[in-house]
PDB file of all heavy atoms in Angstrom:
ATOM      1  N   ILE A  59      59.501 111.867 206.887  1.00  0.00           N
ATOM      2  CA  ILE A  59      58.354 112.167 207.747  1.00  0.00           C
ATOM      3  C   ILE A  59      58.682 111.853 209.197  1.00  0.00           C
ATOM      4  O   ILE A  59      58.381 112.638 210.103  1.00  0.00           O
ATOM      5  CB  ILE A  59      57.096 111.397 207.281  1.00  0.00           C
ATOM      6  CG1 ILE A  59      56.582 111.984 205.966  1.00  0.00           C
ATOM      7  CG2 ILE A  59      55.996 111.412 208.353  1.00  0.00           C
ATOM      8  CD1 ILE A  59      55.567 111.099 205.259  1.00  0.00           C
ATOM      9  N   GLY A  60      59.323 110.711 209.424  1.00  0.00           N
ATOM     10  CA  GLY A  60      59.727 110.350 210.787  1.00  0.00           C
ATOM     11  C   GLY A  60      60.697 111.348 211.377  1.00  0.00           C
ATOM     12  O   GLY A  60      60.590 111.746 212.549  1.00  0.00           O
ATOM     13  N   THR A  61      61.654 111.792 210.582  1.00  0.00           N
ATOM     14  CA  THR A  61      62.652 112.768 211.030  1.00  0.00           C
ATOM     15  C   THR A  61      61.986 114.105 211.360  1.00  0.00           C
ATOM     16  O   THR A  61      62.265 114.710 212.399  1.00  0.00           O
ATOM     17  CB  THR A  61      63.741 112.954 209.947  1.00  0.00           C
ATOM     18  OG1 THR A  61      64.382 111.703 209.729  1.00  0.00           O
ATOM     19  CG2 THR A  61      64.768 113.986 210.387  1.00  0.00           C
ATOM     20  N   ILE A  62      61.124 114.563 210.484  1.00  0.00           N
ATOM     21  CA  ILE A  62      60.435 115.850 210.713  1.00  0.00           C
ATOM     22  C   ILE A  62      59.561 115.774 211.955  1.00  0.00           C
ATOM     23  O   ILE A  62      59.553 116.693 212.783  1.00  0.00           O
ATOM     24  CB  ILE A  62      59.601 116.252 209.473  1.00  0.00           C
ATOM     25  CG1 ILE A  62      60.539 116.624 208.324  1.00  0.00           C
ATOM     26  CG2 ILE A  62      58.648 117.396 209.807  1.00  0.00           C
ATOM     27  CD1 ILE A  62      59.834 116.792 206.986  1.00  0.00           C
ATOM     28  N   ALA A  63      58.824 114.689 212.124  1.00  0.00           N
ATOM     29  CA  ALA A  63      57.963 114.532 213.294  1.00  0.00           C
ATOM     30  C   ALA A  63      58.792 114.528 214.574  1.00  0.00           C
ATOM     31  O   ALA A  63      58.445 115.219 215.548  1.00  0.00           O
ATOM     32  CB  ALA A  63      57.143 113.245 213.178  1.00  0.00           C
ATOM     33  N   ALA A  64      59.898 113.795 214.576  1.00  0.00           N
ATOM     34  CA  ALA A  64      60.756 113.715 215.769  1.00  0.00           C
ATOM     35  C   ALA A  64      61.348 115.075 216.112  1.00  0.00           C
ATOM     36  O   ALA A  64      61.340 115.487 217.285  1.00  0.00           O
ATOM     37  CB  ALA A  64      61.856 112.687 215.552  1.00  0.00           C
ATOM     38  N   HIS A  65      61.855 115.803 215.132  1.00  0.00           N
ATOM     39  CA  HIS A  65      62.482 117.094 215.387  1.00  0.00           C
ATOM     40  C   HIS A  65      61.458 118.162 215.782  1.00  0.00           C
ATOM     41  O   HIS A  65      61.735 119.002 216.646  1.00  0.00           O
ATOM     42  CB  HIS A  65      63.293 117.548 214.184  1.00  0.00           C
ATOM     43  CG  HIS A  65      64.546 116.756 213.998  1.00  0.00           C
ATOM     44  ND1 HIS A  65      65.217 116.705 212.818  1.00  0.00           N
ATOM     45  CD2 HIS A  65      65.246 115.967 214.845  1.00  0.00           C
ATOM     46  CE1 HIS A  65      66.279 115.930 212.933  1.00  0.00           C
ATOM     47  NE2 HIS A  65      66.311 115.465 214.163  1.00  0.00           N
ATOM     48  N   THR A  66      60.282 118.113 215.178  1.00  0.00           N
ATOM     49  CA  THR A  66      59.234 119.070 215.537  1.00  0.00           C
ATOM     50  C   THR A  66      58.787 118.827 216.972  1.00  0.00           C
ATOM     51  O   THR A  66      58.656 119.775 217.756  1.00  0.00           O
ATOM     52  CB  THR A  66      58.037 118.958 214.568  1.00  0.00           C
ATOM     53  OG1 THR A  66      58.497 119.186 213.234  1.00  0.00           O
ATOM     54  CG2 THR A  66      56.942 119.955 214.928  1.00  0.00           C
ATOM     55  N   ALA A  67      58.586 117.582 217.325  1.00  0.00           N
ATOM     56  CA  ALA A  67      58.199 117.252 218.700  1.00  0.00           C
ATOM     57  C   ALA A  67      59.278 117.669 219.687  1.00  0.00           C
ATOM     58  O   ALA A  67      58.979 118.268 220.733  1.00  0.00           O
ATOM     59  CB  ALA A  67      57.917 115.756 218.815  1.00  0.00           C
ATOM     60  N   LEU A  68      60.527 117.407 219.356  1.00  0.00           N
ATOM     61  CA  LEU A  68      61.657 117.765 220.224  1.00  0.00           C
ATOM     62  C   LEU A  68      61.701 119.275 220.457  1.00  0.00           C
ATOM     63  O   LEU A  68      61.993 119.739 221.569  1.00  0.00           O
ATOM     64  CB  LEU A  68      62.971 117.279 219.599  1.00  0.00           C
ATOM     65  CG  LEU A  68      64.226 117.447 220.433  1.00  0.00           C
ATOM     66  CD1 LEU A  68      64.117 116.654 221.730  1.00  0.00           C
ATOM     67  CD2 LEU A  68      65.444 116.986 219.641  1.00  0.00           C
ATOM     68  N   ALA A  69      61.403 120.051 219.435  1.00  0.00           N
ATOM     69  CA  ALA A  69      61.414 121.501 219.561  1.00  0.00           C
ATOM     70  C   ALA A  69      60.373 121.985 220.585  1.00  0.00           C
ATOM     71  O   ALA A  69      60.521 123.064 221.156  1.00  0.00           O
ATOM     72  CB  ALA A  69      61.136 122.151 218.206  1.00  0.00           C
ATOM     73  N   TYR A  70      59.346 121.187 220.840  1.00  0.00           N
ATOM     74  CA  TYR A  70      58.303 121.553 221.801  1.00  0.00           C
ATOM     75  C   TYR A  70      58.412 120.737 223.097  1.00  0.00           C
ATOM     76  O   TYR A  70      57.484 120.733 223.906  1.00  0.00           O
ATOM     77  CB  TYR A  70      56.917 121.363 221.176  1.00  0.00           C
ATOM     78  CG  TYR A  70      56.619 122.404 220.124  1.00  0.00           C
ATOM     79  CD1 TYR A  70      56.856 122.140 218.782  1.00  0.00           C
ATOM     80  CD2 TYR A  70      56.129 123.654 220.490  1.00  0.00           C
ATOM     81  CE1 TYR A  70      56.604 123.101 217.814  1.00  0.00           C
ATOM     82  CE2 TYR A  70      55.861 124.613 219.532  1.00  0.00           C
ATOM     83  CZ  TYR A  70      56.106 124.342 218.188  1.00  0.00           C
ATOM     84  OH  TYR A  70      55.860 125.290 217.247  1.00  0.00           O
ATOM     85  N   GLY A  71      59.528 120.019 223.269  1.00  0.00           N
ATOM     86  CA  GLY A  71      59.710 119.228 224.474  1.00  0.00           C
ATOM     87  C   GLY A  71      58.861 117.981 224.523  1.00  0.00           C
ATOM     88  O   GLY A  71      58.519 117.493 225.594  1.00  0.00           O
ATOM     89  N   CYS A  72      58.527 117.452 223.389  1.00  0.00           N
ATOM     90  CA  CYS A  72      57.684 116.257 223.295  1.00  0.00           C
ATOM     91  C   CYS A  72      58.433 115.151 222.554  1.00  0.00           C
ATOM     92  O   CYS A  72      59.570 115.329 222.138  1.00  0.00           O
ATOM     93  CB  CYS A  72      56.403 116.578 222.520  1.00  0.00           C
ATOM     94  SG  CYS A  72      55.430 117.922 223.204  1.00  0.00           S
ATOM     95  N   THR A  73      57.778 114.047 222.397  1.00  0.00           N
ATOM     96  CA  THR A  73      58.311 112.958 221.574  1.00  0.00           C
ATOM     97  C   THR A  73      57.291 112.615 220.507  1.00  0.00           C
ATOM     98  O   THR A  73      56.092 112.873 220.669  1.00  0.00           O
ATOM     99  CB  THR A  73      58.617 111.701 222.415  1.00  0.00           C
ATOM    100  OG1 THR A  73      57.408 111.272 223.054  1.00  0.00           O
ATOM    101  CG2 THR A  73      59.689 111.962 223.464  1.00  0.00           C
ATOM    102  N   ALA A  74      57.776 112.034 219.433  1.00  0.00           N
ATOM    103  CA  ALA A  74      56.886 111.614 218.347  1.00  0.00           C
ATOM    104  C   ALA A  74      57.251 110.205 217.927  1.00  0.00           C
ATOM    105  O   ALA A  74      58.429 109.834 217.899  1.00  0.00           O
ATOM    106  CB  ALA A  74      57.011 112.554 217.160  1.00  0.00           C
ATOM    107  N   VAL A  75      56.247 109.453 217.626  1.00  0.00           N
ATOM    108  CA  VAL A  75      56.429 108.087 217.108  1.00  0.00           C
ATOM    109  C   VAL A  75      55.690 108.021 215.778  1.00  0.00           C
ATOM    110  O   VAL A  75      54.526 108.428 215.695  1.00  0.00           O
ATOM    111  CB  VAL A  75      55.846 107.028 218.082  1.00  0.00           C
ATOM    112  CG1 VAL A  75      55.942 105.645 217.506  1.00  0.00           C
ATOM    113  CG2 VAL A  75      56.543 107.120 219.431  1.00  0.00           C
ATOM    114  N   THR A  76      56.358 107.521 214.749  1.00  0.00           N
ATOM    115  CA  THR A  76      55.684 107.332 213.466  1.00  0.00           C
ATOM    116  C   THR A  76      55.614 105.842 213.169  1.00  0.00           C
ATOM    117  O   THR A  76      56.552 105.096 213.442  1.00  0.00           O
ATOM    118  CB  THR A  76      56.395 108.059 212.313  1.00  0.00           C
ATOM    119  OG1 THR A  76      57.750 107.607 212.248  1.00  0.00           O
ATOM    120  CG2 THR A  76      56.390 109.564 212.528  1.00  0.00           C
ATOM    121  N   GLU A  77      54.474 105.434 212.664  1.00  0.00           N
ATOM    122  CA  GLU A  77      54.279 104.050 212.243  1.00  0.00           C
ATOM    123  C   GLU A  77      53.739 104.068 210.826  1.00  0.00           C
ATOM    124  O   GLU A  77      52.886 104.892 210.487  1.00  0.00           O
ATOM    125  CB  GLU A  77      53.257 103.350 213.156  1.00  0.00           C
ATOM    126  CG  GLU A  77      53.682 103.258 214.593  1.00  0.00           C
ATOM    127  CD  GLU A  77      52.584 102.671 215.483  1.00  0.00           C
ATOM    128  OE1 GLU A  77      51.540 102.238 214.946  1.00  0.00           O
ATOM    129  OE2 GLU A  77      52.782 102.650 216.705  1.00  0.00           O
ATOM    130  N   ALA A  78      54.234 103.159 210.013  1.00  0.00           N
ATOM    131  CA  ALA A  78      53.773 103.095 208.622  1.00  0.00           C
ATOM    132  C   ALA A  78      53.261 101.689 208.310  1.00  0.00           C
ATOM    133  O   ALA A  78      53.918 100.708 208.613  1.00  0.00           O
ATOM    134  CB  ALA A  78      54.900 103.464 207.668  1.00  0.00           C
ATOM    135  N   SER A  79      52.080 101.647 207.738  1.00  0.00           N
ATOM    136  CA  SER A  79      51.547 100.401 207.197  1.00  0.00           C
ATOM    137  C   SER A  79      51.567 100.576 205.686  1.00  0.00           C
ATOM    138  O   SER A  79      50.827 101.401 205.145  1.00  0.00           O
ATOM    139  CB  SER A  79      50.103 100.168 207.662  1.00  0.00           C
ATOM    140  OG  SER A  79      50.059 100.075 209.051  1.00  0.00           O
ATOM    141  N   LEU A  80      52.427  99.823 205.038  1.00  0.00           N
ATOM    142  CA  LEU A  80      52.550  99.974 203.592  1.00  0.00           C
ATOM    143  C   LEU A  80      51.306  99.412 202.916  1.00  0.00           C
ATOM    144  O   LEU A  80      50.904  98.291 203.163  1.00  0.00           O
ATOM    145  CB  LEU A  80      53.803  99.272 203.074  1.00  0.00           C
ATOM    146  CG  LEU A  80      55.121  99.814 203.638  1.00  0.00           C
ATOM    147  CD1 LEU A  80      56.292  99.061 203.035  1.00  0.00           C
ATOM    148  CD2 LEU A  80      55.259 101.301 203.403  1.00  0.00           C
ATOM    149  N   GLY A  81      50.721 100.227 202.077  1.00  0.00           N
ATOM    150  CA  GLY A  81      49.536  99.809 201.323  1.00  0.00           C
ATOM    151  C   GLY A  81      49.949  99.229 199.991  1.00  0.00           C
ATOM    152  O   GLY A  81      50.917  98.485 199.878  1.00  0.00           O
ATOM    153  N   GLU A  82      49.238  99.629 198.986  1.00  0.00           N
ATOM    154  CA  GLU A  82      49.471  99.118 197.648  1.00  0.00           C
ATOM    155  C   GLU A  82      50.832  99.579 197.120  1.00  0.00           C
ATOM    156  O   GLU A  82      51.246 100.699 197.372  1.00  0.00           O
ATOM    157  CB  GLU A  82      48.378  99.607 196.684  1.00  0.00           C
ATOM    158  CG  GLU A  82      47.000  99.100 196.986  1.00  0.00           C
ATOM    159  CD  GLU A  82      46.280  99.878 198.077  1.00  0.00           C
ATOM    160  OE1 GLU A  82      46.850 100.851 198.619  1.00  0.00           O
ATOM    161  OE2 GLU A  82      45.160  99.506 198.429  1.00  0.00           O
ATOM    162  N   PRO A  83      51.516  98.691 196.382  1.00  0.00           N
ATOM    163  CA  PRO A  83      52.782  99.116 195.777  1.00  0.00           C
ATOM    164  C   PRO A  83      52.540 100.090 194.625  1.00  0.00           C
ATOM    165  O   PRO A  83      51.403 100.245 194.164  1.00  0.00           O
ATOM    166  CB  PRO A  83      53.384  97.802 195.256  1.00  0.00           C
ATOM    167  CG  PRO A  83      52.246  96.867 195.115  1.00  0.00           C
ATOM    168  CD  PRO A  83      51.212  97.296 196.116  1.00  0.00           C
ATOM    169  N   VAL A  84      53.601 100.734 194.189  1.00  0.00           N
ATOM    170  CA  VAL A  84      53.521 101.633 193.047  1.00  0.00           C
ATOM    171  C   VAL A  84      53.131 100.828 191.814  1.00  0.00           C
ATOM    172  O   VAL A  84      53.634  99.722 191.610  1.00  0.00           O
ATOM    173  CB  VAL A  84      54.877 102.343 192.830  1.00  0.00           C
ATOM    174  CG1 VAL A  84      54.871 103.148 191.548  1.00  0.00           C
ATOM    175  CG2 VAL A  84      55.194 103.214 194.022  1.00  0.00           C
ATOM    176  N   LEU A  85      52.217 101.362 191.023  1.00  0.00           N
ATOM    177  CA  LEU A  85      51.766 100.659 189.821  1.00  0.00           C
ATOM    178  C   LEU A  85      52.542 101.186 188.609  1.00  0.00           C
ATOM    179  O   LEU A  85      52.519 102.374 188.330  1.00  0.00           O
ATOM    180  CB  LEU A  85      50.271 100.896 189.612  1.00  0.00           C
ATOM    181  CG  LEU A  85      49.610 100.016 188.545  1.00  0.00           C
ATOM    182  CD1 LEU A  85      48.154  99.805 188.880  1.00  0.00           C
ATOM    183  CD2 LEU A  85      49.741 100.573 187.156  1.00  0.00           C
ATOM    184  N   ASP A  86      53.246 100.292 187.937  1.00  0.00           N
ATOM    185  CA  ASP A  86      53.959 100.647 186.719  1.00  0.00           C
ATOM    186  C   ASP A  86      53.447  99.785 185.577  1.00  0.00           C
ATOM    187  O   ASP A  86      53.409  98.559 185.685  1.00  0.00           O
ATOM    188  CB  ASP A  86      55.473 100.420 186.873  1.00  0.00           C
ATOM    189  CG  ASP A  86      56.132 101.492 187.694  1.00  0.00           C
ATOM    190  OD1 ASP A  86      55.839 102.682 187.454  1.00  0.00           O
ATOM    191  OD2 ASP A  86      56.934 101.165 188.584  1.00  0.00           O
ATOM    192  N   ASN A  87      53.065 100.426 184.486  1.00  0.00           N
ATOM    193  CA  ASN A  87      52.632  99.693 183.292  1.00  0.00           C
ATOM    194  C   ASN A  87      53.847  99.060 182.631  1.00  0.00           C
ATOM    195  O   ASN A  87      54.909  99.664 182.549  1.00  0.00           O
ATOM    196  CB  ASN A  87      51.942 100.623 182.305  1.00  0.00           C
ATOM    197  CG  ASN A  87      50.553 101.018 182.763  1.00  0.00           C
ATOM    198  OD1 ASN A  87      49.925 100.325 183.554  1.00  0.00           O
ATOM    199  ND2 ASN A  87      50.065 102.127 182.254  1.00  0.00           N
ATOM    200  N   ASP A  88      53.678  97.822 182.161  1.00  0.00           N
ATOM    201  CA  ASP A  88      54.734  97.111 181.455  1.00  0.00           C
ATOM    202  C   ASP A  88      54.906  97.718 180.060  1.00  0.00           C
ATOM    203  O   ASP A  88      53.927  97.773 179.290  1.00  0.00           O
ATOM    204  CB  ASP A  88      54.372  95.627 181.346  1.00  0.00           C
ATOM    205  CG  ASP A  88      55.450  94.828 180.655  1.00  0.00           C
ATOM    206  OD1 ASP A  88      56.472  94.554 181.298  1.00  0.00           O
ATOM    207  OD2 ASP A  88      55.251  94.514 179.454  1.00  0.00           O
ATOM    208  N   PRO A  89      56.110  98.165 179.687  1.00  0.00           N
ATOM    209  CA  PRO A  89      56.312  98.823 178.380  1.00  0.00           C
ATOM    210  C   PRO A  89      55.971  97.928 177.188  1.00  0.00           C
ATOM    211  O   PRO A  89      55.336  98.382 176.232  1.00  0.00           O
ATOM    212  CB  PRO A  89      57.790  99.188 178.393  1.00  0.00           C
ATOM    213  CG  PRO A  89      58.171  99.252 179.830  1.00  0.00           C
ATOM    214  CD  PRO A  89      57.321  98.225 180.518  1.00  0.00           C
ATOM    215  N   ALA A  90      56.371  96.664 177.216  1.00  0.00           N
ATOM    216  CA  ALA A  90      56.093  95.762 176.084  1.00  0.00           C
ATOM    217  C   ALA A  90      54.583  95.532 175.941  1.00  0.00           C
ATOM    218  O   ALA A  90      54.045  95.546 174.827  1.00  0.00           O
ATOM    219  CB  ALA A  90      56.819  94.432 176.251  1.00  0.00           C
ATOM    220  N   LEU A  91      53.907  95.350 177.048  1.00  0.00           N
ATOM    221  CA  LEU A  91      52.459  95.155 177.007  1.00  0.00           C
ATOM    222  C   LEU A  91      51.756  96.432 176.540  1.00  0.00           C
ATOM    223  O   LEU A  91      50.800  96.373 175.769  1.00  0.00           O
ATOM    224  CB  LEU A  91      51.938  94.720 178.379  1.00  0.00           C
ATOM    225  CG  LEU A  91      50.446  94.407 178.487  1.00  0.00           C
ATOM    226  CD1 LEU A  91      50.022  93.343 177.472  1.00  0.00           C
ATOM    227  CD2 LEU A  91      50.101  93.984 179.904  1.00  0.00           C
ATOM    228  N   THR A  92      52.254  97.566 176.968  1.00  0.00           N
ATOM    229  CA  THR A  92      51.686  98.844 176.528  1.00  0.00           C
ATOM    230  C   THR A  92      51.753  98.975 175.014  1.00  0.00           C
ATOM    231  O   THR A  92      50.771  99.339 174.358  1.00  0.00           O
ATOM    232  CB  THR A  92      52.431 100.016 177.201  1.00  0.00           C
ATOM    233  OG1 THR A  92      52.311  99.885 178.622  1.00  0.00           O
ATOM    234  CG2 THR A  92      51.868 101.349 176.774  1.00  0.00           C
ATOM    235  N   GLU A  93      52.908  98.656 174.433  1.00  0.00           N
ATOM    236  CA  GLU A  93      53.064  98.730 172.974  1.00  0.00           C
ATOM    237  C   GLU A  93      52.158  97.735 172.253  1.00  0.00           C
ATOM    238  O   GLU A  93      51.550  98.057 171.233  1.00  0.00           O
ATOM    239  CB  GLU A  93      54.532  98.489 172.586  1.00  0.00           C
ATOM    240  CG  GLU A  93      55.454  99.618 172.955  1.00  0.00           C
ATOM    241  CD  GLU A  93      55.104 100.930 172.246  1.00  0.00           C
ATOM    242  OE1 GLU A  93      54.736 100.896 171.058  1.00  0.00           O
ATOM    243  OE2 GLU A  93      55.198 101.983 172.903  1.00  0.00           O
ATOM    244  N   ALA A  94      52.063  96.519 172.795  1.00  0.00           N
ATOM    245  CA  ALA A  94      51.236  95.490 172.170  1.00  0.00           C
ATOM    246  C   ALA A  94      49.761  95.875 172.202  1.00  0.00           C
ATOM    247  O   ALA A  94      49.020  95.645 171.237  1.00  0.00           O
ATOM    248  CB  ALA A  94      51.447  94.149 172.859  1.00  0.00           C
ATOM    249  N   VAL A  95      49.318  96.468 173.297  1.00  0.00           N
ATOM    250  CA  VAL A  95      47.917  96.880 173.398  1.00  0.00           C
ATOM    251  C   VAL A  95      47.657  98.080 172.493  1.00  0.00           C
ATOM    252  O   VAL A  95      46.622  98.145 171.825  1.00  0.00           O
ATOM    253  CB  VAL A  95      47.546  97.179 174.870  1.00  0.00           C
ATOM    254  CG1 VAL A  95      46.154  97.793 174.971  1.00  0.00           C
ATOM    255  CG2 VAL A  95      47.615  95.892 175.700  1.00  0.00           C
ATOM    256  N   TRP A  96      48.594  99.010 172.420  1.00  0.00           N
ATOM    257  CA  TRP A  96      48.427 100.161 171.542  1.00  0.00           C
ATOM    258  C   TRP A  96      48.306  99.716 170.086  1.00  0.00           C
ATOM    259  O   TRP A  96      47.531 100.291 169.315  1.00  0.00           O
ATOM    260  CB  TRP A  96      49.554 101.168 171.704  1.00  0.00           C
ATOM    261  CG  TRP A  96      49.453 102.320 170.760  1.00  0.00           C
ATOM    262  CD1 TRP A  96      50.375 102.714 169.858  1.00  0.00           C
ATOM    263  CD2 TRP A  96      48.338 103.203 170.603  1.00  0.00           C
ATOM    264  NE1 TRP A  96      49.918 103.790 169.150  1.00  0.00           N
ATOM    265  CE2 TRP A  96      48.659 104.111 169.584  1.00  0.00           C
ATOM    266  CE3 TRP A  96      47.103 103.318 171.223  1.00  0.00           C
ATOM    267  CZ2 TRP A  96      47.794 105.120 169.168  1.00  0.00           C
ATOM    268  CZ3 TRP A  96      46.230 104.313 170.804  1.00  0.00           C
ATOM    269  CH2 TRP A  96      46.582 105.198 169.788  1.00  0.00           C
ATOM    270  N   ALA A  97      49.031  98.671 169.715  1.00  0.00           N
ATOM    271  CA  ALA A  97      48.925  98.143 168.355  1.00  0.00           C
ATOM    272  C   ALA A  97      47.513  97.633 168.059  1.00  0.00           C
ATOM    273  O   ALA A  97      47.059  97.649 166.915  1.00  0.00           O
ATOM    274  CB  ALA A  97      49.937  97.016 168.143  1.00  0.00           C
TER     275      ALA A  97
END
């Protein structure tokens, strides 16, 4: 996203700044707990 923003802005004679605030992490279910709950 940062690369695309920078190159798109450059193509129009502008500059781009991207900032990211990381939110929630990716949620992955635990496989062992999944099996135990399914039982």
Side-chain angles (χ1 to χ4, degrees):
I59 289 166
T61 300
I62 290 169
H65 288 160
T66 302
L68 186 61
Y70 289 95
C72 303
T73 59
V75 176
T76 57
E77 298 175 6
S79 299
L80 299 181
E82 295 82 1
V84 173
L85 191 151
D86 284 315
N87 286 337
D88 181 77
L91 183 56
T92 301
E93 289 298 321
V95 172
W96 176 238

